[in-house]
Amino acid sequence: MSAADAFELIREEQIDEVNALARYYRHKKTGAELISLINDDENKVFGIAFATPPEDSTGIAHILEHSVLCGSEQFPVKKPFVEMLKGSLHTFLNAMTFPDKTVYPVASQNLADFRNLTEVYLDAVLFPLLSRETFEQEGWHYELENPDAPLIYKGVVFNEMKGGYSSPDQVQRTYAQNALFPDNTYGLSSGGDPKVMPELTYEQFAAFHKRYYHPSNAQIIFYGDDDPDARLEILEKYLSRFEKAERAPIVPVQPKFDAPRYEVRTYPADEENKRSAFVTLNWLIEETDDHTEALRRSVLAHALLGNSAAPLYKALTESGLGESVIGGLNGHYREPWFNAGLRNADAESADKIETLILDTLASLAEHGIDKATVESTVNTIEFSLREKNTGGYPRGIMYFFAALGDWLYGKDPLEALKYEDALATLKAELAAGKPVLEERIRSLLLDNSHRVTLVLKADKEQAEREEAAERAKLDAVRAGLSEEDVAGVIATTQKLKALQNAPDKPENLAKIPTLELKDLEREIKTVPTEELALSKVRTLYHDLPTNGIVYFDLGFDLKTLPRELIPYLPIFSRALTQTGTSKEDYVALSQRIGRSTGGIGAQRFASSLVDGEGSAAMLIVRGKAMADKTDDLLAIARDILTDAKLDNRDRIRQLVAQDKARHEAGLVPSGHMVAFSRLRASMTEADWLSEQCGGVLQLFFLRELAAKIEDDWESVSEALASIRDHLVNATTAVANVTADAESWTQFRPRLEAFLGDLPTRPAVLADWGSLPAPKNEGLTIPAQVNYVAKGVSLKKLGYEPSGALSVVTKYLGTTYLWDKIRVEGGAYGGFARFDPSAGIYAFGSYRDPNLTATLDVYDGVPDKLREDISDTDLTRSIIGTIGDLDGYQLPDAKGFTALVRTLTGATDAYRQARRDQVLATSKADFKEAADLIAEVARNGHVVALGSESAINKANAERNGFLEVTRVL
């Protein structure tokens, strides 16, 4: 029987919305379902999903997601996932656990690589080894080094979730979901609650895989330009080994509340203050099979909260009851939920916030949502649907997620990929004057008794209590162990460490499919770029297929700004589009942007030059619109650059509060980036700028600025106006356009006229002075885990490393650092970073239970590199590095990347030389890298972000080597 005969074709149809021929299959023997999307997208995607509804909060599905990627029947090595990370050209390679499903997607532009990835993933999920040691490593285990040592918990997921429960925003979302769904699986923590995780046994873990990771419970997608018949052949090889089994039951609907509920919970904080609470109203929304209805709900959520000018968002912001808005429509559930509220609020104001939200909704239901807001919202959503700009995610993966939103619950997955009929119906309803959104405000929100008001309060003693409770629990376990039991735990600890340190057998490693060096492209990929002068402004044009969309960037040189104005840049950037102009307030401006464009805003760019000590630093206004709407796009750009109301004190006050709250909320989820930013700030001009505008220094500045707005508003307003006067100057401007040729022909004369109207004055560069002295720092936050960075500027030490150092870095991240920091140390991640432009080499860890032990690992890197590297590891590390260089990009990203390369001096010749160096990397380069990276141990400095107790403990161990600063 052919592979095609093993599948029943349920339906075949062309789906224009995803530009693909869709074939919907069912595997005859097992019942596994498949969507095969056939089109010309070279970024091929495979994904397999299983319904995995947990019955408790032990994190069983999450631990299993990690564990199946730790060795399988066909590939019996410790980390086939990492081997593919090391030696693949993948454009996506990951797995994710949702509240009721687990998804394993991969993508690659290279056909051989794509098929390798597909087979490794299929074998991993269907035939994993799942040893007890893997469960202990990835989930949790008791660790005891010797009879006198304290008993501790270790485990990758255990520490990942400790980090998750250290993030107030994640805690708020978890508690809200739990409260809305007390009677089904959504009321549990699918990621795992660290307090509950040690209740999970290996036997339960293995049984969960047997029950749910079966083809009968699988939903599969293929997408792209690969052979559709070969897809079936690959699947049949694996699926044919199974008999039919029961599908997982669909998550039942949550019984509805008779009346709204009110809950008060707490989260750990180092300090309590009156403005440290989260107050949200949360509604459960009934499921719908009607895709037009689903679109109505999405439009409603965006109309209420989609931007700062949306009426509910605006009411919450202007109330002054909190610092930033929380809310939106939450999908990925059988029954979605909607929430709205405030971060950094006074818990005593919870009733006022609840009343404000309900009264605002009641007023909107009675009087209607402003037509301009509705029109802007619909255009914004329609533009997004048609643009299909999935950013860093391959489009096929986003389509998989969209299909699963119906598919998992027994509905037709292909209908979820369509939007034209629903969009036409909704637009017709609105054009006819039907109160579509107002009716849903009443039915879904105001008249919906299934509502929870959640007040999440800071508790400065909670972390200490939880730490004490965990210690007491472990001490009780330890006290109950006999001498024989203690010896057994020590033996188990030693056995696990021995297995973690033991190399895989070469013959097993050889089973991991890989490309060969001859399969790699020797030449760099280039972006078509034409450079010209329009109205004397340097202009770059990139002729790429954009489906009639014009992507426009306009940059101004930040080096014209005096040093003291630099910290104001983030607020200035937001103020351009969020303060209004002399002709319209910020609501009208926001509506105009949404109505006429696909979005416009400003962002900062800073990078070291590739051939020197200097930097490229620009403020770039970025916008996009259909070619026939570019007059509107340019008119908006002109207004915000020359006429933004930078003296709008109320809006600036609100923007500062929002930015401060967002920085504080991001400290735990992005702790590694916070540490890296602080680490690099003393190394290059560009990194100093980035820390001033986006790191800890920016947070400190925002706190000071909030007070200054009240006490010395005139100086704040003058600073913002001064930035505009310095920056908006045609003399220092660079324009960048990405569009197809027809759209460019329409846009070019309009752009030339626009650029000719820009203010023009001589360019005067400011003196930013010297960089701060490097130092070792301990930044304290209320967290149960740490983020540890250590690095050095090789360029300042006189080195000019070749591209081979990138290969070494790839190797370290997938071998030594992965093994020592993640596998043995229990951190969620450990990595090395080499920035060839800046010449900076640094190490970092993520959600790490350790601190000084991690620094010891970093310092051990040179010895590791002096060991012999296998031919296989060398080849795979080269391939993986080339994969990083050749990452897949959509047209707008290609055009922006070309701009960045131009600004930094990364010419095609430079890029080709580095590629040649990567491809020519030898074992000798690894030995040379050992001496180079030894400079990190000798001269590197450290930035650690973590709890006060962890920082103090590290200082006690190393004679106070960290200068301590409280961040939160």
Side-chain angles (χ1 to χ4, degrees):
M1 183 175 71
S2 70
D5 292 333
F7 291 85
E8 170 195 358
L9 180 62
I10 301 171
R11 191 159 86 254
E12 176 179 289
E13 62 176 297
Q14 180 70 30
I15 302 180
D16 292 336
E17 288 89 336
V18 297
N19 188 34
L21 175 66
R23 292 175 180 164
Y24 181 20
Y25 293 99
R26 182 177 295 110
H27 187 243
K28 294 175 182 176
K29 186 178 180 184
T30 65
E33 295 190 351
L34 163 69
I35 296 175
S36 184
L37 297 176
I38 306 162
N39 62 15
D40 60 359
D41 192 337
E42 64 179 344
N43 201 16
K44 294 163 272 290
V45 166
F46 162 78
I48 184 166
F50 302 94
T52 52
E55 297 179 359
D56 54 41
S57 293
T58 58
I60 188 169
H62 189 186
I63 296 168
L64 194 56
E65 173 224 307
H66 282 237
S67 300
V68 299
L69 298 171
C70 292
S72 64
E73 178 183 278
Q74 191 176 346
F75 310 111
V77 298
K78 291 186 295 183
K79 47 184 184 180
F81 171 74
V82 181
E83 294 300 325
M84 298 307 291
L85 275 176
K86 183 195 309 176
S88 164
L89 298 176
H90 62 272
T91 54
F92 192 91
L93 181 65
N94 213 331
M96 49 278 290
T97 304
F98 294 89
D100 55 8
K101 60 182 172 286
T102 309
V103 185
Y104 297 86
V106 296
S108 180
Q109 299 171 82
N110 181 284
L111 179 60
D113 186 51
F114 174 66
R115 290 180 175 164
N116 290 344
L117 291 167
T118 300
E119 296 219 16
V120 169
Y121 260 45
L122 278 168
D123 203 63
V125 298
L126 296 175
F127 304 106
L129 299 181
L130 293 187
S131 68
R132 184 178 295 272
E133 289 76 19
T134 294
F135 165 72
E136 293 171 345
Q137 171 183 291
E138 299 298 320
W140 77 275
H141 64 277
Y142 293 121
E143 185 161 297
L144 192 61
E145 297 282 359
N146 59 69
D148 298 323
L151 190 69
I152 62 171
Y153 292 123
K154 271 284 185 74
V156 173
V157 175
F158 180 80
N159 284 308
E160 177 188 351
M161 295 312 298
K162 273 202 165 185
Y165 275 83
S166 296
S167 166
D169 281 70
Q170 185 167 331
V171 170
Q172 184 275 329
R173 181 181 175 86
T174 297
Y175 288 165
Q177 179 184 314
N178 295 164
L180 281 174
F181 298 94
D183 303 308
N184 68 20
T185 193
Y186 301 137
L188 305 169
S189 173
S190 59
D193 183 340
K195 294 187 291 293
V196 181
M197 291 174 74
E199 297 173 10
L200 180 64
T201 68
Y202 171 70
E203 289 71 25
Q204 292 170 322
F205 163 80
F208 193 88
H209 179 271
K210 185 176 181 181
R211 169 67 183 89
Y212 293 113
Y213 278 61
H214 189 285
S216 300
N217 193 42
Q219 285 145 329
I220 304 166
I221 194 169
F222 275 98
Y223 166 93
D225 64 358
D226 55 308
D227 180 357
D229 293 330
R231 298 171 176 179
L232 304 183
E233 293 172 5
I234 293 170
L235 287 179
E236 174 60 6
K237 182 170 72 171
Y238 289 90
L239 303 186
S240 63
R241 295 176 58 184
F242 291 85
E243 301 299 326
K244 193 164 188 176
E246 268 188 73
R247 277 195 62 80
I250 295 174
V251 174
V253 297
Q254 166 65 43
K256 301 305 178 285
F257 299 166
D258 295 329
R261 299 182 181 182
Y262 192 97
E263 286 203 14
V264 179
R265 303 290 292 270
T266 61
Y267 71 91
D270 277 353
E271 290 183 344
E272 291 176 17
N273 60 67
K274 292 194 69 176
R275 300 297 291 264
S276 58
F278 293 66
V279 180
T280 55
L281 269 65
N282 307 272
W283 288 266
L284 183 149
I285 308 296
E286 290 188 351
E287 69 174 331
T288 180
D289 294 338
D290 183 346
H291 287 90
T292 303
E293 175 61 20
L295 181 61
R296 294 185 191 108
R297 294 173 177 184
S298 294
V299 170
L300 173 63
H302 193 280
L304 292 176
L305 287 171
N307 57 54
S308 61
L312 183 53
Y313 195 114
K314 181 173 181 286
L316 285 165
T317 299
E318 295 182 351
S319 72
L321 295 172
E323 291 187 341
S324 65
V325 176
I326 307 167
L329 187 64
N330 302 280
H332 302 301
Y333 304 83
R334 180 176 180 182
E335 295 176 285
W337 54 285
F338 177 82
N339 69 334
L342 285 165
R343 178 192 292 115
N344 288 12
D346 182 350
E348 299 301 317
S349 299
D351 290 345
K352 292 180 181 178
I353 294 170
E354 179 181 86
T355 299
L356 172 66
I357 293 171
L358 295 176
D359 286 353
T360 302
L361 292 173
S363 176
L364 292 169
E366 181 178 354
H367 302 293
I369 299 176
D370 180 76
K371 287 186 178 180
T373 295
V374 176
E375 182 182 351
S376 170
T377 298
V378 172
N379 181 73
T380 296
I381 289 177
E382 181 176 2
F383 191 100
S384 176
L385 288 169
R386 299 195 187 287
E387 183 188 22
K388 304 178 182 67
N389 193 332
T390 53
Y393 270 75
R395 284 174 171 159
I397 292 177
M398 300 309 292
Y399 297 150
F400 189 26
F401 290 156
L404 284 171
D406 280 354
W407 205 359
L408 192 71
Y409 312 117
K411 305 170 191 175
D412 188 333
L414 298 188
E415 292 304 308
L417 302 179
K418 305 172 186 176
Y419 59 80
E420 289 290 3
D421 289 347
L423 187 60
T425 299
L426 175 60
K427 291 169 75 172
E429 290 173 341
L430 294 170
K434 294 183 179 181
V436 175
L437 304 184
E438 292 77 8
E439 288 175 353
R440 277 149 192 82
I441 292 176
R442 289 201 177 279
S443 62
L444 300 178
L445 302 176
L446 293 173
D447 296 339
N448 181 359
S449 61
H450 197 110
R451 184 181 84 228
V452 175
T453 298
L454 175 65
V455 182
L456 184 65
K457 301 167 65 174
D459 183 344
K460 68 179 181 181
E461 297 174 353
Q462 182 169 331
E464 186 177 340
R465 288 197 310 272
E466 290 178 347
E467 188 175 336
E470 181 179 297
R471 186 69 264 155
K473 188 175 180 180
L474 285 163
D475 288 345
V477 171
R478 177 70 173 80
L481 298 177
S482 66
E483 288 187 13
E484 184 179 352
D485 293 334
V486 170
V489 175
I490 294 173
T492 298
T493 299
Q494 292 172 343
K495 179 183 177 184
L496 180 57
K497 287 185 178 295
L499 286 170
Q500 291 168 339
N501 281 304
D504 287 307
K505 295 179 181 179
E507 61 268 27
N508 288 336
L509 276 174
K511 294 177 181 178
I512 300 288
T514 187
L515 300 175
E516 298 179 27
L517 294 183
K518 64 181 179 60
D519 298 319
L520 303 180
E521 294 287 342
R522 308 294 303 186
E523 304 297 320
I524 59 169
K525 294 184 177 182
T526 60
V527 177
T529 301
E530 177 187 353
E531 183 165 342
L532 61 159
L534 294 182
S535 297
K536 298 183 179 179
V537 173
R538 186 184 189 188
T539 302
L540 307 176
Y541 165 58
H542 316 288
D543 183 358
L544 292 167
T546 58
N547 294 320
I549 297 173
V550 172
Y551 296 95
F552 170 53
D553 310 308
L554 181 63
F556 298 99
D557 195 341
L558 290 176
K559 291 186 176 182
T560 60
L561 284 185
R563 183 184 182 108
E564 65 272 13
L565 294 179
I566 296 295
Y568 287 91
L569 267 172
I571 290 300
F572 174 81
S573 301
R574 293 190 65 200
L576 289 178
T577 57
Q578 297 193 40
T579 57
T581 68
S582 63
K583 299 185 291 293
E584 56 195 346
D585 63 17
Y586 80 94
V587 174
L589 176 61
S590 177
Q591 292 168 344
R592 182 178 163 208
I593 291 170
R595 187 171 59 247
S596 304
T597 76
I600 186 169
Q603 70 182 58
R604 183 186 68 260
F605 163 75
S607 173
S608 297
L609 301 177
V610 301
D611 60 353
E613 295 295 325
S615 65
M618 305 205 84
L619 182 75
I620 303 178
V621 174
R622 307 194 66 195
K624 55 188 175 182
M626 301 304 299
D628 62 355
K629 293 281 190 179
T630 51
D631 279 337
D632 297 323
L633 175 67
L634 293 173
I636 293 168
R638 180 182 299 108
D639 288 346
I640 65 174
L641 285 169
T642 62
D643 195 32
K645 291 282 289 178
L646 302 178
D647 59 351
N648 187 337
R649 184 176 186 176
D650 288 342
R651 281 300 290 152
I652 298 298
R653 179 190 292 115
Q654 292 161 7
L655 296 178
V656 169
Q658 291 169 8
D659 274 10
K660 182 181 80 69
R662 287 169 182 160
H663 270 73
E664 291 170 346
L667 288 171
V668 172
S670 302
H672 59 311
M673 301 305 297
V674 174
F676 265 147
S677 176
R678 190 73 164 175
L679 178 80
R680 293 175 55 126
S682 62
M683 297 182 184
T684 73
E685 183 178 73
D687 289 299
W688 169 82
L689 176 70
S690 295
E691 171 65 10
Q692 292 282 329
C693 294
V696 170
L697 285 180
Q698 173 66 190
L699 175 56
F700 292 167
F701 172 77
L702 288 168
R703 290 170 178 165
E704 295 171 358
L705 185 59
K708 198 171 185 179
I709 289 171
E710 307 307 323
D711 302 334
D712 187 13
W713 164 246
E714 186 175 346
S715 71
V716 175
S717 178
E718 287 175 354
L720 295 174
S722 182
I723 290 176
R724 176 165 57 196
D725 291 342
H726 280 91
L727 277 188
V728 182
N729 182 0
T731 305
T732 68
V734 177
N736 188 62
V737 181
T738 305
D740 54 64
E742 182 178 351
S743 300
W744 170 239
T745 299
Q746 295 181 54
F747 183 58
R748 176 174 172 164
R750 299 168 180 172
L751 175 61
E752 189 162 17
F754 166 83
L755 295 175
D757 289 340
L758 286 176
T760 301
R761 64 181 70 88
V764 179
L765 300 184
D767 180 6
W768 287 348
S770 60
L771 297 174
K775 57 185 176 181
N776 297 324
E777 290 189 280
L779 309 175
T780 67
I781 58 173
Q784 302 177 63
V785 288
N786 306 305
Y787 306 83
V788 186
K790 184 174 184 178
V792 73
S793 171
L794 296 174
K795 187 170 286 188
K796 283 189 175 181
L797 294 174
Y799 299 102
E800 289 290 342
S802 79
L805 191 55
S806 296
V807 180
V808 173
T809 303
K810 170 63 85 172
Y811 169 77
L812 288 172
T814 52
T815 53
Y816 176 78
L817 294 173
W818 181 283
D819 293 339
K820 295 296 181 183
I821 294 176
R822 179 183 170 107
V823 174
E824 294 180 39
Y828 187 46
F831 38 85
R833 295 286 184 268
F834 170 53
D835 180 343
S837 296
I840 294 173
Y841 204 93
F843 299 108
S845 68
Y846 185 74
R847 294 188 177 178
D848 189 349
N850 309 303
L851 202 162
T852 56
T854 293
L855 294 174
D856 290 338
V857 171
Y858 299 160
D859 292 347
V861 164
D863 288 340
K864 175 63 180 177
L865 292 177
R866 292 186 181 103
E867 298 174 2
D868 288 334
I869 180 176
S870 70
D871 292 336
T872 299
D873 273 341
L874 176 60
T875 298
R876 286 180 176 161
S877 297
I878 292 173
I879 292 169
T881 304
I882 292 294
D884 293 340
L885 294 175
D886 291 348
Y888 183 79
Q889 291 183 314
L890 296 172
D892 65 311
K894 288 181 179 179
F896 191 76
T897 297
L899 169 64
V900 167
R901 289 170 181 164
T902 299
L903 294 176
T904 59
T907 64
D908 288 348
Y910 165 83
R911 293 173 53 234
Q912 185 63 57
R914 293 203 68 84
R915 188 183 190 89
D916 292 342
Q917 291 165 0
V918 167
L919 289 168
T921 301
S922 68
K923 294 181 181 181
D925 290 312
F926 277 66
K927 298 290 194 302
E928 291 178 14
D931 297 331
L932 202 58
I933 296 174
E935 293 288 2
V936 179
R938 286 193 293 266
N939 296 299
H941 65 281
V942 174
V943 174
L945 181 73
S947 69
E948 187 173 358
S949 61
I951 300 296
N952 289 340
K953 181 174 180 287
N955 269 340
E957 293 171 356
R958 297 203 174 179
N959 299 317
F961 78 114
L962 297 174
E963 182 178 309
V964 181
T965 301
R966 170 170 282 183
V967 177
L968 190 62

